[in-house]
Structures are given as structure tokens and as C-alpha cells.
Amino acid sequence: MSSNIESVVSAETDVFGGTTAHTAVFKTLSSQSCRYLIYYFLAASDSSVPIEDVVTGIQTLAAHESKQPSLVDDECLKSLLLESAIPQLEQLDVVEYDSRSGSVRYYQQPFIEEYAEHAAYQELSSDFVQESL
């Protein structure tokens, strides 16, 4: 599956007037719901799962990291994923949502995973750093 990163968002242009792939990825990863969706699949063993499993996995990850129950209910998170995060990541060819089966399929994109893994290291280990100080 080829990536169409350049067409994702109304991205900033570089000094030569072109859209950079990095800019599109950074804009997408600036969305917490997009990051957590990628985090879920980086840790998951399956590349295609029901949307409900994604919601549960993200809620579990967020609750574990914040050490408190989620403030967002499952239906609100599901709506956020379906209306915002999934369409953004579909444009990057990272995920595909099948509305008939209600499943999300993840496609590995090493370029994006590299940045997502770095973001996960920074974001998901922040509570550990605070506890250690």
C-alpha cells in the first residue's frame, strides 16, 4: 500500500514551497487520539481488530498512564476515533476502517512508527520520570 502523506492535512510548506512528509506526520501525531491509536497497534498482536477492542485498549493504556479512570466514556472515544483519528490515519495509509465489519486494520508504516515510538517513549514514560524525581 503506497502512502499519500503529502495530501493529508493542509500542511505547512517548506522554504521551497513544497509540503514535506515530515510536516504531515507531525501534524497528525499532534493529535492525542491519533497517537494513542498507533500506540495501541504498536503493542497489539493483531493487525485487524474490532473498533470496540481498539477503544478498550486505548482506555486501558490511558488509565494506566494517568493512574486514574478515564474521563471519556467508550462511546465518546469511539466517535472521536471514527470522526477524526481514523480518517486522518487513513489518509496516511496507516489504518483502514471497514464499517461493514466494524474493524480497524493497521498497516505498518516504518516512517510513521519511528516518530510514534519516540513520542510514546516521551509521553508514556512521563509519569515514571515524575515519580523518580
Side-chain angles (χ1 to χ4, degrees), residues 61-74:
L61 180 60
H64 174 74
E65 292 307 317
S66 68
K67 306 220 183 315
Q68 51 189 312
S70 175
L71 300 175
V72 178
D73 69 28
D74 287 355

Side-chain angles (χ1 to χ4, degrees), residues 86-118:
I86 289 173
Q88 283 182 290
L89 290 168
E90 280 181 325
Q91 290 182 350
L92 289 173
D93 296 325
V94 175
V95 299
E96 177 181 35
Y97 179 67
D98 181 356
S99 60
R100 292 172 293 151
S101 67
S103 64
V104 181
R105 174 170 292 282
Y106 176 72
Y107 298 102
Q108 292 181 327
Q109 297 285 350
F111 178 72
I112 295 166
E113 286 181 355
E114 180 180 342
Y115 291 112
E117 287 172 357
H118 180 70

Side-chain angles (χ1 to χ4, degrees), residues 65 121-133:
E65 292 307 317
Y121 175 77
Q122 295 297 318
E123 182 172 28
L124 300 181
S125 63
S126 64
D127 63 333
F128 175 75
V129 171
Q130 290 174 357
E131 290 175 10
S132 300
L133 295 177

